Amino acid sequence: MIARGRSGLCLALCALGLALLGDVSRAVPMDDQDYYLQEITNRDHYYSFPYPGEEFFPFTEQPGEEGPIRAAEREEQPGFKPSRKELKQKKNNKKGKPILEPPPDCPPLGLETLKITDFQLHASTAKRYGLGAHRGRLNIQAGVNENDFYDGAWCAGRNDPYQWIEVDARRLTKFTGVITQGRNSLWSSNWVTSYRVLVSNDSHAWTAVRNESGDVIFEGNSEKEIPVLNMLPVPLVARYIRINPRSWFQEGSICMRLEILGCPLPDPNNYYHRRNEMTTTDNLDFKHHNYKEMRQLMKTVNKMCPNITRIYNIGKSHQGLKLYAVEISDNPGEHEVGEPEFHYIAGAHGNEVLGRELILLLMQFMCQEYLAGNPRIVHLIQDTRIHLLPSVNPDGYDKAYKVGSELGGWSLGRWTQDGIDINNNFPDLNSLLWESEDQKKSKRKVPNHHIPIPDWYLSENATVAVETRAIIAWMEKIPFVLGGNLQGGELVVAYPYDMVRSMWKTQDYTPTPDDHVFRWLAYSYASTHRLMTDARRRACHTEDFQKEDGTVNGASWHTVAGSINDFSYLHTNCFELSIYVGCDKYPHESELPEEWENNRESLIVFMEQVHRGIKGIVKDVHGKGIPNAVISVEGVNHDIRTGTDGDYWRLLNPGEYVVGVKAEGYTTATKTCEVGYDMGATQCDFTISKTNLARIKEIMRKFGKQPLSLAARRLRQRARRWQRR
């Protein structure tokens, strides 16, 4: 009886629920009741609070007002007139230009930087998992295959005006604007041309953003890549924000990438926010610096620390801007025998701005810490000559800077003024080396180091940027031992080779002879970064680098011919790596303190690796340094050469090595050198004497005579005999 009574009660409750559901469903077409019965149909009052000192626009529903969907459809009727501002936006959009507004007061919430987690993004429907709400992030990139896991936007499962994508800020936030893009894809064209914005405090009762005419219909995109910014008529305070597409590209479907602008309100009771809040105690200039401000900052650092800094330039850009660098050393301006040289460069892609700002922050930090007597920094400066080149492509940066941190898209400012990608503009020496190795009987032998630059590359007609030529001259002039080029758009450290050996593959692990050293160098940066080796973080775009602890062989990622890393390794003594410092190429100014904290320790640790391995001086019997002597390590098919003073540095992992030296006109020598685990290179000097032939040549030259050539002597004797006949 009890069980039967409970069953009857359940049936009664179900019937009552169905009856109530039937009343609500009258607001939407019958065909769409399967999934349209969502929060979007609810237009109840929400609790919005005006920000102190700002006007509050009341969004209370008036008697007899149309429901949310029908009200939004008034955009199709003659009675709906957009404001002048909206008409101006529409006019600019037709020209294919981004909507440029004054810099908003509130920063991005962090969809692009991944501050907003996947769990904070929701959508009405999705075509498939790879096009889910978690992929609806500004500037997210699709994989080449656009597979089920990594695609380039959120795409709704159906094309109708009832779809939405929602962001949960997880605290009360003053929302001020929305930035949208279409779907990143090589094969399709999809974008939203207009949309509504709704806000809520509980994700159930939603209110649309309105003006005097009714629900505001914001102009969306006119193509898929250029970001479009729309500011809300007045800031609104809520926890949730929802974007409701109203129209889309006729030949495509509903697909969006977006960023939300908003200021989180103070909430001391919000444990989630306090736990994830990042602050810094460093008193540095956390802002984006244009060219003039960058130059002024360098002067300020030089004025604060004149005894350890020097400003110089390595050349000029296509538009004539000088490529400034700052040297930090206890004896700036001169190379000290036995002291290794290190460099950081950034901005080869002008729109990858984070690396530029990190280098500017680093030079400030090192100056301040040196003055404060930080023993770690003092020791590093005294034992290392450090070069910091923050902007290799100032022309490209200027383009990105004028548009702003969120509106440049993925590529504006990437290339030089004459359209060249500096990062891949160096001579392809890999092919020369590998062809020589594959054709053992070839008359043209290519050394395994210091491979000469081909003549065609040096010609004036070669497609080589002036910035690239300046970097090459700089690298040839200074005996760099280790270097890092800071890039953006990913969170990984890439090491050479960057080019695959097989011409039939686009991805293949292609190690250098020093692969074990490069892997350690990459790991030294990644492991000390706050996020690179964090197994809980999501991939920036399409690649998950956690299996290699935040590192990757460049060729196994994507093949590139003529990279700076491969060129540096094959043409100079320098071991160069590409350090991708963040998912967001051009983060908002407010993100710079956190990005500095993410990278500060890594930047210092990587510099310290220049003191790992062996070092020494190659001298003759009179104690004079021998330049251009070849240093080889048994079992490693890559040599290095001594500098003009006979000094050298060879990066090696801990272990015991048989090291050899040879120089033209000198005897060869070998010795065993042991590299320990403690920081500091092992001293491994050589003293070699001249060969007998070299001594004879030297004596003959001294007295104005030439050594006798037996072959030539015999020819002269034969000539005399013929004359006598």
Side-chain angles (χ1 to χ4, degrees):
M1 287 294 293
I2 296 175
R4 189 176 300 173
R6 287 178 178 173
S7 300
L9 180 60
C10 290
L11 288 171
L13 290 174
C14 289
L16 178 60
L18 288 171
L20 293 174
L21 190 62
D23 291 339
V24 175
S25 65
R26 295 188 188 118
V28 296
M30 288 296 294
D31 295 341
D32 302 319
Q33 289 181 17
D34 55 343
Y35 74 103
Y36 288 158
L37 291 174
Q38 309 167 53
E39 298 92 336
I40 197 171
T41 63
N42 196 329
R43 194 67 179 278
D44 296 339
H45 174 74
Y46 91 111
Y47 302 96
S48 179
F49 306 99
Y51 200 67
E54 292 185 346
E55 179 186 1
F56 173 64
F57 191 88
F59 284 102
T60 54
E61 192 166 332
Q62 301 299 325
E65 187 177 359
E66 296 173 298
I69 297 174
R70 186 173 296 176
E73 290 171 348
R74 285 180 297 185
E75 62 174 312
E76 308 295 339
Q77 299 175 3
F80 175 73
K81 294 182 179 181
S83 64
R84 292 182 179 178
K85 183 177 180 181
E86 292 169 328
L87 288 172
K88 184 179 179 182
Q89 290 176 345
K90 187 172 183 179
K91 184 178 179 181
N92 287 340
N93 249 9
K94 287 181 178 179
K95 296 179 180 179
K97 298 180 180 179
I99 306 300
L100 302 184
E101 297 283 346
D105 294 329
C106 290
L109 291 188
L111 276 79
E112 184 175 6
T113 61
L114 306 184
K115 264 191 168 182
I116 297 295
T117 68
D118 290 349
F119 299 106
Q120 293 174 257
L121 300 173
H122 307 279
S124 53
T125 59
K127 279 190 175 180
R128 50 186 170 81
Y129 177 77
L131 294 168
H134 65 292
R135 302 296 293 176
R137 301 172 181 273
L138 190 72
N139 286 322
I140 202 165
Q141 301 296 294
V144 176
N145 299 323
E146 299 185 14
N147 54 38
D148 283 339
F149 292 99
Y150 302 113
D151 219 318
W154 160 68
C155 289
R158 299 189 186 184
N159 293 328
D160 55 50
Y162 303 100
Q163 304 302 310
W164 50 262
I165 182 171
E166 171 189 315
V167 180
D168 176 7
R170 284 185 171 165
R171 61 185 299 182
L172 286 179
T173 301
K174 182 181 74 168
F175 296 116
T176 59
V178 178
I179 304 172
T180 59
Q181 280 176 311
R183 175 183 175 183
N184 174 253
S185 172
L186 295 173
W187 321 110
S188 58
S189 297
N190 303 289
W191 60 83
V192 169
T193 57
S194 69
Y195 59 89
R196 291 192 309 160
V197 176
L198 302 94
V199 289
S200 172
N201 267 356
D202 57 8
S203 79
H204 293 287
W206 292 88
T207 298
V209 173
R210 306 180 65 201
N211 59 17
E212 296 83 357
S213 304
D215 291 355
V216 177
I217 305 299
F218 295 96
E219 281 292 331
N221 299 83
S222 57
E223 58 90 64
K224 57 187 176 183
E225 290 298 337
I226 299 177
V228 173
L229 166 66
N230 278 299
M231 302 300 293
L232 303 187
V234 293
L236 295 174
V237 176
R239 172 175 168 173
Y240 301 88
I241 186 168
R242 180 176 284 183
I243 310 302
N244 168 218
R246 302 299 298 166
S247 60
W248 45 93
F249 179 51
Q250 188 174 3
E251 298 178 8
S253 57
I254 297 176
C255 293
M256 297 185 77
R257 291 176 287 167
L258 69 152
E259 182 63 85
I260 305 297
L261 305 184
C263 296
L265 300 186
D267 185 2
N269 298 320
N270 192 323
Y271 169 74
Y272 174 84
H273 176 72
R274 294 201 318 273
R275 183 185 63 182
N276 292 277
E277 194 171 40
M278 171 58 64
T279 58
T280 182
T281 58
D282 295 328
N283 184 24
L284 307 175
D285 189 19
F286 293 106
K287 60 168 287 186
H288 287 297
H289 300 80
N290 59 27
Y291 183 80
K292 183 178 180 181
E293 293 168 338
M294 179 190 74
R295 175 78 174 112
Q296 185 58 46
L297 179 61
M298 290 179 170
K299 289 182 177 179
T300 301
V301 172
N302 179 243
K303 187 176 180 180
M304 288 177 59
C305 300
N307 296 328
I308 62 167
T309 62
R310 177 178 72 99
I311 303 173
Y312 66 99
N313 73 81
I314 69 167
K316 292 184 179 180
S317 71
H318 186 271
Q319 290 190 312
L321 298 177
K322 292 182 178 179
L323 309 180
Y324 285 111
V326 169
E327 176 192 340
I328 302 179
S329 171
D330 56 346
N331 286 300
E334 59 183 84
H335 171 72
E336 296 182 67
V337 177
E339 187 170 283
E341 310 242 7
F342 175 92
H343 73 252
Y344 274 130
I345 66 175
H349 297 150
N351 63 332
E352 294 173 9
V353 177
L354 179 55
R356 169 193 176 110
E357 295 304 329
L358 287 175
I359 289 181
L360 294 177
L361 292 168
L362 180 63
M363 64 178 68
Q364 298 174 63
F365 176 79
M366 295 191 73
C367 174
Q368 291 181 8
E369 294 301 300
Y370 182 85
L371 295 177
N374 183 330
R376 183 186 185 190
I377 301 301
V378 171
H379 178 73
L380 185 60
I381 292 174
Q382 289 178 345
D383 294 345
T384 320
R385 191 180 181 206
I386 302 166
H387 303 259
L388 304 177
L389 178 59
S391 187
V392 175
N393 181 11
D395 299 346
Y397 172 82
D398 188 55
K399 292 180 182 178
Y401 180 81
K402 287 178 179 177
V403 175
S405 63
E406 307 305 319
L407 300 178
W410 188 249
S411 59
L412 180 65
R414 175 186 177 92
W415 299 279
T416 62
Q417 185 64 27
D418 48 345
I420 296 175
D421 186 336
I422 294 176
N423 196 52
N424 310 327
N425 191 221
F426 293 82
D428 172 19
L429 304 181
N430 304 57
S431 298
L432 296 177
L433 174 64
W434 294 335
E435 286 174 9
S436 175
E437 291 178 346
D438 294 340
Q439 301 173 3
K440 295 182 179 180
K441 295 182 180 180
S442 174
K443 294 181 179 180
R444 184 182 180 185
K445 296 296 182 183
V446 176
N448 65 9
H449 68 289
H450 283 250
I451 301 174
I453 297 175
D455 293 336
W456 67 264
Y457 186 89
L458 299 174
S459 68
E460 294 183 0
N461 296 327
T463 307
V464 182
V466 292
E467 296 89 345
T468 308
R469 295 192 188 278
I471 296 171
I472 291 175
W474 183 54
M475 296 173 75
E476 291 178 333
K477 180 180 179 182
I478 300 175
F480 291 117
V481 180
L482 178 62
N485 55 89
L486 306 188
Q487 301 190 44
E490 263 298 350
L491 206 54
V492 68
V493 182
Y495 54 91
Y497 288 123
D498 289 330
M499 179 180 176
V500 297
R501 186 158 185 162
S502 171
M503 62 181 296
W504 308 109
K505 296 181 179 179
T506 58
Q507 292 177 311
D508 189 34
Y509 195 100
T510 310
T512 65
D514 285 288
D515 189 58
H516 57 296
V517 178
F518 275 113
R519 291 176 67 178
W520 166 256
L521 293 171
Y523 184 70
S524 70
Y525 194 100
S527 62
T528 50
H529 189 280
R530 287 188 61 253
L531 298 175
M532 277 191 189
T533 55
D534 186 352
R536 297 169 298 176
R537 76 171 184 88
R538 77 182 293 282
C540 291
H541 299 283
T542 63
E543 302 284 347
D544 185 3
F545 300 106
Q546 291 304 312
K547 59 184 177 182
E548 295 292 338
D549 293 318
T551 68
V552 66
N553 173 260
S556 70
W557 185 9
H558 51 256
T559 185
V560 171
S563 75
I564 186 174
N565 295 345
D566 291 2
F567 169 79
S568 180
Y569 182 68
L570 295 175
H571 185 68
T572 74
N573 288 343
C574 183
F575 285 31
E576 184 93 12
L577 291 85
S578 293
I579 303 170
Y580 293 79
V581 291
C583 300
D584 190 348
K585 291 183 176 183
Y586 195 159
H588 189 269
E589 203 166 86
S590 62
E591 300 289 336
L592 293 179
E594 181 170 349
E595 293 293 355
W596 167 247
E597 288 295 321
N598 289 342
N599 289 275
R600 179 183 60 189
E601 180 64 17
S602 301
L603 290 166
I604 298 171
V605 167
F606 188 73
M607 284 192 288
E608 292 172 335
Q609 304 311 305
V610 77
H611 295 283
R612 183 175 296 279
I614 60 175
K615 66 178 181 178
I617 303 175
V618 179
K619 304 176 183 177
D620 62 18
V621 292
H622 303 291
K624 183 179 179 181
I626 301 174
N628 213 33
V630 177
I631 306 295
S632 59
V633 177
E634 189 177 273
V636 181
N637 188 26
H638 181 79
D639 304 333
I640 63 166
R641 293 178 182 256
T642 57
T644 55
D645 299 306
D647 50 353
Y648 77 92
W649 306 262
R650 182 48 162 106
L651 296 177
L652 292 168
N653 284 343
E656 195 173 84
Y657 300 92
V658 177
V659 183
V661 60
K662 62 181 180 180
E664 186 177 356
Y666 290 87
T667 58
T668 60
T670 60
K671 65 168 56 177
T672 300
C673 303
E674 185 175 353
V675 178
Y677 287 90
D678 295 334
M679 188 60 67
T682 300
Q683 194 74 27
C684 194
D685 298 327
F686 290 89
T687 300
I688 55 178
S689 58
K690 291 186 176 181
T691 62
N692 291 335
L693 180 59
R695 284 209 275 301
I696 292 171
K697 288 182 178 180
E698 185 178 350
I699 293 171
M700 298 293 284
R701 281 195 299 269
K702 185 176 181 180
F703 293 99
K705 298 181 180 181
Q706 294 296 324
L708 295 176
S709 171
L710 185 60
R713 185 176 181 180
R714 287 176 177 172
L715 286 173
R716 285 195 296 270
Q717 288 176 346
R718 290 176 184 173
R720 288 175 191 154
R721 290 172 187 168
W722 279 103
Q723 289 175 358
R724 289 174 185 173
R725 292 179 183 178

